């Protein structure tokens, strides 16, 4: 058994514990409390010193296979559609080895910044072995996209083959079927994904260009489809919001992880809550692409379950989830830091279906993180969202 002590323990499911201790047996937490509390186990105490012991962070939306495109948001011309075009242009040329090396570095970056689990969106599933070698728990969202409805059945058949290969029982990584976005997945393809129990995740209501395309069928996205040779595809704009459009296609599944949800009004928020959708807020990605910021308070008020994601290095500067916590807090200063910390831990664990993570409690996983401080912080939750806090793995 190992017993850790720190200036604070933040269990998430109960108030922070000053001078708290956490006992670990094997891979699980066996006891949490203060010295002298009932049931305190005996054993050597490993004092972590000034700082905060927290559950390992859960990054609910990331694309590790895009890590070789780091810095794209700064390089690409301004605007969401030019960024997508730059991404498509730069994505192809990288050699498989470059892509894998960048993916390996990105995994190390997640591990070194206190993240223990990730919702990883992938089109290629070419890095499952790297995920397996890592310390991370990973739910891979195998993402389909295709605007031409004539290709939907072929895409679905190919996906079934790939997913059958990825569903090997010896793999820790789970693979779930996902959709890219309402502006890149034809209604025919979405119907097929829904028939197969998906989408487990998708991008939703990210940019004003998406909202406009679904409302009126025109704008920068329509022009982009034309440049991609898809101008002939018949599409009658539904004239509703992205959230309402996906719901009408049966896509708002209970437990789905919807990334972004920046362009949402009150009715959208109520619908997301009613359908039991998790929203992965990705604030630094949204800032990088200048699409706005998810209305976190409105989503919470509607009862939407929130988690936090970095998104890929093609839109966010790093994969350090603490930086996203800090940005949410600075954008919504009146928001309780407890809510922000919950998004990055328990909220993500619930969204990814990992009930052993997200909180420090007896029976839960011992995958924790430590956030050192120069002295004992007076308010640990506020410290965690201050922008000055840096999480890392527990010292061995
Ligand atoms: Zn994304």
């Amino acid at each position: 058994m190992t017993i850790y002590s720190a200036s604070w323990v933040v269990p998430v499911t109960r108030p922070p514990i000053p001078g708290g201790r956490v006992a670990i047996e094997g891979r699980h937490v066996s006891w949490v409390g203060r010295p002298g509390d009932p049931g305190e186990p005996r054993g050597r105490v490993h004092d972590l010193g000034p700082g905060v012991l927290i559950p390992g962070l859960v990054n609910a939306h990331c694309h590790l296979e895009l890590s070789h495109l780091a810095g794209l948001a700064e390089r690409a011309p301004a605007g969401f559609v030019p960024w997508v075009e730059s991404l498509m242009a730069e994505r192809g040329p990288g050699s498989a080895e470059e892509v894998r090396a960048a993916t390996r570095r990105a995994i190390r970056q997640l591990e070194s910044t206190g993240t223990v689990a990730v919702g990883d969106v992938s089109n290629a599933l070419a890095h499952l072995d790297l995920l397996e070698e890592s310390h991370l728990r990973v739910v891979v969202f195998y993402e389909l996209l295709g605007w031409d409805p004539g290709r939907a059945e072929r895409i679905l058949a190919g996906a079934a083959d790939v997913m059958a290969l990825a569903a090997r029982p010896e793999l820790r990584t789970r693979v779930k079927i996902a959709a890219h976005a309402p502006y890149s997945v034809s209604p025919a393809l979405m119907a097929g994904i829904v028939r197969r129990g998906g989408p487990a995740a998708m991008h939703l209501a990210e940019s004003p260009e998406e909202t406009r395309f679904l409302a009126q069928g025109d704008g920068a996205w329509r022009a982009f489809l034309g440049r991609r040779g898809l101008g002939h595809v018949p599409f009658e704009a539904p004239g509703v919001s992205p959230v309402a459009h996906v719901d009408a296609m049966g896509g708002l599944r209970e437990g789905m992880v919807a990334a972004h949800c920046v362009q949402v009004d009150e009715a959208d928020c109520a619908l997301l809550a009613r359908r039991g959708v998790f929203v992965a807020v990705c604030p630094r990605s949204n800032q990088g692409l200048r699409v706005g910021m998810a209305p976190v308070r409105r989503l919470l008020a509607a009862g939407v379950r929130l988690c936090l994601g970095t998104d890929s290095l093609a839109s966010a500067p790093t994969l350090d989830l603490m930086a996203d916590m800090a940005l949410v807090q600075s954008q919504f200063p009146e928001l309780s830091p407890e809510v922000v910390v919950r998004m990055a831990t328990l909220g993500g664990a619930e969204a990814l279906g990992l009930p052993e993570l997200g909180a420090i409690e007896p029976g839960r996983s011992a995958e924790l993180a430590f956030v050192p401080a120069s002295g004992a912080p007076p308010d640990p939750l506020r410290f965690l969202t201050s922008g000055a806090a840096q999480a890392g793995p527990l010292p061995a």
Side-chain angles (χ1 to χ4, degrees):
M1 173 187 320
T2 310
I3 301 170
Y4 288 101
S5 76
S7 339
W8 290 94
V9 171
V10 169
V12 175
T13 42
R14 56 188 265 206
I17 306 167
R21 291 184 175 182
V22 177
I24 290 170
E25 277 184 74
R27 294 162 169 264
H28 292 92
V29 171
S30 58
W31 181 88
V32 187
R34 298 183 75 164
D37 280 356
E40 185 190 4
R42 289 164 194 268
R44 195 176 67 84
V45 176
H46 183 139
D47 185 11
L48 297 167
V52 187
L53 188 53
I54 61 172
L57 301 173
V58 181
N59 184 340
H61 182 80
C62 189
H63 306 244
L64 287 167
E65 69 188 14
L66 300 181
S67 299
H68 60 298
L69 304 179
L72 185 73
E74 291 103 74
R75 290 196 298 279
F80 180 74
V81 174
W83 175 79
V84 172
E85 272 185 304
S86 302
L87 189 145
M88 297 182 81
E90 286 197 25
R91 190 173 185 179
S95 75
E97 219 17 76
E98 270 174 67
V99 173
R100 283 173 69 79
T103 305
R104 270 195 203 94
R105 285 196 300 276
I107 289 170
R108 279 202 296 276
Q109 193 185 133
L110 285 170
E111 290 172 341
S112 67
T113 52
T115 293
V116 298
V118 60
D120 182 26
V121 181
S122 172
N123 309 122
L125 296 188
H127 61 295
L128 292 185
D129 59 323
L130 301 182
L131 300 175
E132 289 292 310
E133 289 163 17
S134 79
H135 297 294
L136 299 170
R137 310 259 197 136
V138 189
V139 175
V140 172
F141 296 119
Y142 180 48
E143 179 191 74
L144 307 186
L145 76 165
W147 188 244
D148 183 349
R151 293 194 57 235
E153 284 311 316
R154 214 173 331 146
I155 292 170
L156 289 161
D161 292 345
V162 171
M163 287 194 63
L165 279 175
R168 299 200 301 277
E170 70 271 22
L171 296 186
R172 289 186 304 131
T173 302
R174 295 189 223 162
V175 180
K176 298 181 176 184
I177 194 164
H180 176 256
Y183 55 85
S184 57
V185 172
S186 67
L189 180 54
M190 182 60 96
I193 293 170
V194 169
R195 276 200 307 279
R196 284 157 180 77
M202 75 185 295
H203 298 88
L204 184 56
E206 181 175 3
S207 69
E209 289 83 351
E210 171 183 350
T211 302
R212 172 159 181 169
F213 177 61
L214 295 173
Q216 297 167 223
D218 62 357
W221 189 256
R222 184 81 196 183
F224 168 74
L225 290 175
R227 290 196 294 282
R228 297 285 301 170
L230 292 162
H232 64 285
V233 172
F235 179 64
E236 199 169 320
V240 296
S241 72
V243 169
H245 175 56
V246 172
D247 187 52
M249 293 190 288
L252 290 190
R253 312 294 294 236
E254 162 88 34
M256 180 177 88
V257 183
H260 306 302
C261 291
V262 171
Q263 314 284 324
V264 289
D265 63 15
E266 242 157 78
D268 293 327
C269 293
L271 187 52
L272 290 166
R274 211 157 56 237
R275 296 285 184 256
V277 170
F278 291 97
V279 170
V281 177
C282 303
R284 287 186 305 152
S285 168
N286 298 152
Q287 189 179 55
L289 302 186
R290 301 190 195 99
V291 293
M293 195 62 60
V296 169
R297 280 166 48 89
R298 184 187 292 162
L299 288 159
L300 286 168
V304 179
R305 298 179 290 181
L306 298 185
C307 48
L308 203 59
T310 55
D311 212 345
S312 76
L313 287 171
S315 58
T318 69
L319 302 182
D320 178 1
L321 201 63
M322 295 290 282
D324 287 286
M325 289 165 63
L327 183 55
V328 169
Q329 186 73 79
S330 73
Q331 292 288 318
F332 302 94
E334 68 292 353
L335 199 64
S336 160
E338 190 184 346
V339 172
V340 182
V341 172
R342 197 184 184 287
M343 286 167 68
T345 53
L346 194 58
E350 289 170 354
L352 297 186
L354 300 169
E356 62 278 27
L357 298 180
I360 307 179
E361 284 180 338
R364 292 219 195 216
S365 166
E367 291 156 277
L368 310 180
F370 183 64
V371 188
S374 49
D379 179 339
L381 294 169
R382 204 151 278 289
F383 167 67
L384 291 174
T385 65
S386 65
Q390 180 64 64
L394 276 191

